Amino acid sequence: AALAMAGVRAGLRTALVDADPLGPGLDLLCGADGLGGTRWGDLLAREGRMSWPALSGVLPRVRGCPVVTWDSGPAEEVPAPALRAVLGAAALGGDLVVVDAPREPGPGAVEALRRCTAVLVVVPADFCSVMAAHRLVPRLRTHSSVLRLVTRGAGPGLPGATVAATLGLELAGNVPDDPRVRKALERGGLPGADRASPLARAADRLLESVRTPVPAPAVEPS
């Protein structure tokens, strides 16, 4: 959500896609769960080409950013054809598509990972989280070659560079701990909306990072 708001601040035509059926729903996270509009339940059977202007016009919006998210209650994984149709339309019709990828390694997750030009793996800087990521990263690598690390709360006790070396990933940035984020969520506020907050500043830096192509490694002549 914060990365999508960074895109809006940068003047990019941005879309936020919640592809994880096991999360709370990004509209809830953004304080927009009371808004009407089309949600995944209306899109699960879609496939093929879709018009992004037509679709974005019926989606709920947060600060001008269209959000593809869920109805309240139980949700099923988005079929790969539906996710392909929505992401393809959003990519053709906009400048930035931010996807919260499914945590289950099903066809929808594979579709999302293969379509991303940058995959940010967010890892809290603590021992157990790093070890969990150590199990996950090899699985992600089978579907994407553009993985990059974002640490959360890294510091002298466990620097981001150490986490990156452990996981074998390039470090894209660190999101500092900010107790105001939890308070904002409890009030139904939008994380990263305040451009002066540590989260927003970190999201702005991350956006610039993912928009800058990573140079290919030099090849020594034989």
Side-chain angles (χ1 to χ4, degrees):
L3 195 59
M5 291 302 100
V8 172
R9 283 193 296 275
L12 302 177
R13 296 172 298 169
T14 303
L16 178 59
V17 179
D18 182 359
D20 184 6
L22 300 181
L26 285 180
D27 56 341
L28 179 64
L29 185 71
C30 296
D33 50 309
L35 296 178
T38 296
R39 283 169 163 75
W40 271 124
D42 306 303
L43 301 170
L44 294 180
R46 297 298 299 266
E47 55 182 273
R49 285 186 173 273
M50 297 178 65
S51 164
W52 180 244
L55 176 58
S56 63
V58 296
L59 294 173
R61 286 179 173 259
V62 176
R63 304 289 178 96
C65 175
V67 180
V68 184
T69 186
W70 307 87
D71 292 302
S72 60
E76 58 183 287
E77 182 182 7
V78 182
L83 194 57
R84 186 181 307 122
V86 170
L87 293 182
L92 287 174
D95 304 311
L96 174 69
V97 184
V98 180
V99 185
D100 186 16
R103 64 194 77 189
E104 286 291 332
V110 172
E111 183 68 31
L113 289 170
R114 287 179 175 173
R115 284 185 165 269
C116 287
T117 57
V119 176
L120 300 179
V121 185
V122 183
V123 181
D126 63 74
F127 178 76
C128 289
S129 297
V130 173
M131 290 301 98
H134 195 265
R135 293 186 176 190
L136 174 65
V137 165
R139 178 181 291 176
L140 297 178
R141 278 202 175 101
T142 64
H143 305 299
S144 176
S145 60
V146 290
L147 304 181
R148 302 171 76 180
L149 171 69
V150 177
T151 53
R152 195 174 73 211
L158 186 54
T162 301
V163 179
T166 301
L167 300 179
L169 294 177
E170 177 194 355
L171 181 63
N174 176 63
V175 177
D177 286 327
D178 184 358
R180 290 175 293 181
V181 172
R182 183 179 298 275
K183 293 179 180 178
L185 291 175
E186 291 172 351
R187 297 193 303 267
L190 176 59
D194 179 3
R195 66 173 63 239
S197 69
L199 176 58
R201 293 198 298 269
D204 289 340
R205 291 191 296 269
L206 282 174
L207 177 61
E208 188 61 31
S209 171
V210 299
R211 293 180 70 192
T212 303
V214 178
V219 178
E220 295 292 335
S222 57

